[in-house]
Amino acid sequence: MTNSKALTLINPQTGNLAFKLFTFTDISSFDHVQRLNYYSLIWIKEGNGKVKVDFSEYDFKENQLLAFAPYQPFMLASESELSGVVINFHPDFFCIHKHHEEVACNGVLFNNIYEPPYVNLDLASQNTFNMLLEQIKTEMQNPAIAQYELLISYLKILLITASRLKKEQQPNADTVLTNKEPFILQNLKNFIEMHFKVKHSPSDYADLLNITPKALAKITKNHFNKTLSNLIAERIIIEAKRELYLTNKTVKEIAYELGYDDEYYFSRFFKNNADISPQIYRETVGFARGMA
């Protein structure tokens, strides 16, 4: 993978990028905030630095795979030489939401509001990825029958391999916690998952956990480097995006199902957190593709 030329497939029906593979030898592609309408997998082969994503900042190093969902804001900063490989794919090409049980990467690689957006690649995975990338490169340069199907098969193997690795890894294992904090944090995650459609206030979750809002805010910020409001909002936005992508429900219907009686308030909330309106998100990422 020494050729930096981008290999790109375009969806002829929409004109959207479908699938793209390219190498990079500097940070210029990522040194400003990205808000892309497709998934991005960035394998850092050389170099280290910091990645800003959503409301957080993390260190990254070589042989880590960074993963970003559509419209998730991110940017990289590095003082050393940086090089690697990028795969971009649009939800029209391969829908994570539709195939989540098949590849088990949604909530692991993508749309995980509790963990850093990367996975460490061991030597075996590096070898697997290099082999897959060469196969993808060959297929894109010499298209033949069932090209999309074969590329999706390679992509699935890559996503499953990375997801398995990330499940094995525990980025927060060395975080110093008090005796009660792991219990509180685990219950907080469970409560957000159970109640995010009806409970939108941090104080609601403090009440459920029988802890003061101030104490919960401190634990949340220390552990996740995010406010509790951020965590709740991100979970709501993930669900809203899923509904906008997979269904033809109106924005008003989606808002109501997520606990918002005012469609316009919900639209402002969505735009403030996703940097794009619900309608534009639907128009550029697409809806009801799984039903087509």
Side-chain angles (χ1 to χ4, degrees):
M1 298 298 297
T2 56
N3 185 358
S4 61
K5 180 182 177 183
L7 300 170
T8 307
L9 292 177
I10 300 296
N11 184 329
Q13 294 178 314
T14 64
N16 286 328
L17 178 146
F19 189 90
K20 183 177 180 180
L21 171 68
F22 68 96
T23 59
F24 61 93
T25 54
D26 59 51
I27 203 170
S28 59
S29 297
F30 315 109
D31 63 358
H32 51 288
V33 176
Q34 310 287 299
R35 289 186 179 89
L36 310 171
N37 69 330
Y38 42 77
Y39 291 92
S40 291
L41 295 168
I42 305 174
W43 178 6
I44 305 293
K45 287 199 163 187
E46 293 182 347
N48 56 73
K50 293 185 181 295
V51 53
K52 294 182 178 179
V53 54
D54 295 316
F55 305 97
S56 303
E57 182 176 280
Y58 303 96
D59 294 323
F60 69 81
K61 59 186 179 182
E62 65 181 29
N63 287 318
Q64 285 185 331
L65 182 73
L66 308 178
F68 305 105
Y71 291 111
Q72 186 173 24
F74 73 91
M75 66 178 290
L76 307 185
S78 175
E79 295 181 358
S80 63
E81 290 187 5
L82 205 66
S83 64
V85 187
V86 179
I87 288 180
N88 298 138
F89 62 97
H90 195 278
D92 287 356
F93 178 79
F94 184 72
C95 176
I96 295 296
H97 292 306
K98 183 178 170 185
H99 297 276
H100 68 97
E101 291 182 358
E102 201 174 337
V103 294
C105 64
N106 193 40
V108 180
L109 291 180
F110 304 105
N111 292 322
N112 187 332
I113 60 179
Y114 303 109
E115 299 288 351
Y118 57 73
V119 58
N120 301 310
L121 300 181
D122 57 21
L123 187 58
S125 297
Q126 292 170 41
N127 292 335
T128 298
F129 279 27
N130 277 321
M131 178 187 69
L132 289 168
L133 291 171
E134 288 299 332
Q135 296 279 8
I136 289 169
K137 182 180 176 183
T138 300
E139 188 64 24
M140 293 184 76
Q141 288 177 323
N142 303 289
I145 293 171
Q147 180 193 39
Y148 271 45
E149 287 75 9
L150 198 53
L151 289 174
I152 287 172
S153 296
Y154 294 142
L155 179 60
K156 282 182 181 179
I157 297 170
L158 195 151
L159 292 173
I160 291 168
T161 302
S163 298
R164 286 177 176 175
L165 271 178
K166 189 162 186 180
K167 284 185 176 181
E168 293 171 2
Q169 297 165 10
Q170 299 178 355
N172 294 319
D174 58 351
T175 302
V176 178
L177 299 171
T178 67
N179 289 336
K180 285 183 66 177
E181 284 184 13
F183 176 79
I184 291 170
L185 289 165
Q186 187 56 54
N187 279 325
L188 175 61
K189 289 197 286 187
N190 293 339
F191 283 144
I192 290 176
E193 194 62 32
M194 290 168 59
H195 302 296
F196 71 89
K197 293 182 180 181
V198 292
K199 295 183 184 295
H200 300 161
S201 168
S203 62
D204 291 334
Y205 294 92
D207 290 343
L208 287 171
L209 292 163
N210 196 26
I211 186 174
T212 67
K214 186 175 181 180
L216 182 58
K218 184 178 180 181
I219 293 171
T220 305
K221 185 67 175 176
N222 286 344
H223 190 74
F224 298 120
N225 198 28
K226 301 179 182 182
T227 68
L228 181 49
S229 293
N230 294 153
L231 292 179
I232 299 165
E234 287 180 18
R235 184 61 187 90
I236 294 168
I237 294 300
I238 288 169
E239 193 69 16
K241 286 181 175 180
R242 182 180 183 279
E243 291 295 310
L244 288 164
Y245 182 84
L246 284 181
T247 77
N248 57 4
K249 296 174 186 174
T250 66
V251 173
K252 184 175 182 179
E253 288 173 316
I254 294 170
Y256 184 77
E257 289 180 4
L258 292 174
Y260 295 89
D261 294 328
D262 186 336
E263 170 190 354
Y264 301 102
Y265 176 86
F266 171 75
S267 292
R268 289 194 299 272
F269 168 81
F270 187 97
K271 187 170 184 180
N272 286 340
N273 285 278
D275 296 301
I276 189 172
S277 72
Q279 195 58 43
I280 293 177
Y281 179 84
R282 168 166 277 171
E283 290 170 358
T284 53
V285 174
F287 74 93
R289 292 293 195 270
M291 299 162 65

